[in-house]
Amino acid sequence: MNIGEKIKTLRLSKMMTQADLAGDQITRNMLCTIERGAALPSLPTACYIAERLNVPVGYLFAEAHEDFAYRKMAAMPNVRRALGAGDYSGCLAVLNAALGDAFDDEIALIRAECEYHVAKAAFDCGRLRAAAAGFDRAVEAAGCTVYDTGWIRTRAAVYFRYLSLLSPTLVSDTLDEIEINTAKSVGDDFCAYILAKEALDGAREGEVNEYLARQGDTVYAARLRALSLMRSGALKEALDAYEALLSSDALTVGVLMYEVFDDMELCCRRNDDYKRAYEFASSRQGLLERLLEEV
């Protein structure tokens, strides 16, 4: 990309007309000639244009393989603002617009963290295919930096272990089966819940009680308590606990609601209430279809 093309690309990205960029120091015809590549700007003109475009003048003269640093420098203020506001999708949009596929260690780290948080947000609101794709992108970006991103791989692996149980189509393209099946991470609320659920399945009561002591007021803990009651045969108490969970404002439409429908179907069957069991089975299947909708 020559100087004229860079100027035009930057001008258009900032939604400036040629008259806007030309200002009162150069003519629109001169700018048009420069953008076409028919003339090179003098150094004072280049400095003036760079200032109005808010980029270092060195960026305009940099060779293609050298301009990454300038593009990164120009993008970082917006990246920092997005990160400070917790706008991870916005941060990725800034990086994509400014840098495309180019990256260094710092940019790869930022991408990995943003992709993870965007994937988790998609998971939390029940967009499971988007979540699976996002976790894979996070792991891929994490593998491109020397910074410590092991937590991203581990958490993504725990999510994929759960997702693969919901549907064989929700699998990772970046993590192998062994890593997925053995991953343990408690730095994430859902990951901690999955490990506690696996401890309950394995009758490791100490781990379950430790989790409940830490997360006692969460909907995840409420589901584990209800599940424990059901498995112990206290069906009425379990149903009451599930009904309370369904009426909680903290329970959003997503995988936990799917699990509650599944539990309540089984609980009603064991209680010989087949009508309600059928209703919960239908609700569970309808919710699963919604959770597995394409991105």
Side-chain angles (χ1 to χ4, degrees), residues 75-113:
M76 286 307 291
N78 289 331
V79 168
R80 294 188 183 98
R81 275 193 290 272
L83 288 176
D87 182 6
Y88 301 107
S89 294
C91 183
L92 289 172
V94 171
L95 291 176
N96 290 335
L99 303 177
D101 295 331
F103 63 88
D104 59 10
D105 283 320
E106 182 182 18
I107 295 302
L109 174 64
I110 293 171
R111 278 191 178 279
E113 293 189 1

Side-chain angles (χ1 to χ4, degrees), residues 84-238:
D87 182 6
Y88 301 107
S89 294
C91 183
L92 289 172
V94 171
L95 291 176
N96 290 335
L99 303 177
D101 295 331
F103 63 88
D104 59 10
D105 283 320
E106 182 182 18
I107 295 302
L109 174 64
I110 293 171
R111 278 191 178 279
E113 293 189 1
C114 288
E115 292 286 10
Y116 167 78
H117 287 292
V118 169
K120 177 172 169 52
F123 180 90
D124 289 343
C125 69
R127 296 170 50 241
L128 300 190
R129 296 198 186 280
F135 284 129
D136 264 338
R137 289 194 297 271
V139 172
E140 185 177 4
C144 296
T145 177
V146 297
Y147 292 107
D148 181 11
T149 52
W151 64 272
I152 292 176
R153 292 186 65 92
T154 304
R155 293 183 191 179
V158 175
Y159 274 97
F160 274 116
R161 184 160 74 238
Y162 178 84
L163 289 169
S164 65
L165 295 176
L166 284 180
S167 171
T169 64
L170 298 175
V171 295
S172 174
D173 295 327
T174 58
L175 298 169
D176 61 47
E177 188 174 349
I178 294 177
E179 186 171 5
I180 289 172
N181 290 336
T182 60
K184 294 183 181 297
S185 175
V186 295
D188 172 282
D189 54 355
F190 188 78
C191 290
Y193 161 70
I194 289 301
L195 296 185
K197 168 65 167 53
E198 292 171 351
L200 181 63
D201 294 339
R204 301 191 300 276
E205 293 185 7
E207 294 180 34
V208 177
N209 291 336
E210 182 182 347
Y211 171 80
L212 293 177
R214 293 195 316 266
Q215 306 289 336
D217 297 331
T218 66
V219 288
Y220 294 126
R223 191 260 170 160
L224 288 185
R225 289 195 187 93
L227 184 59
S228 296
L229 288 169
M230 183 177 71
R231 290 181 178 180
S232 70
L235 298 182
K236 182 181 183 306
E237 292 84 350

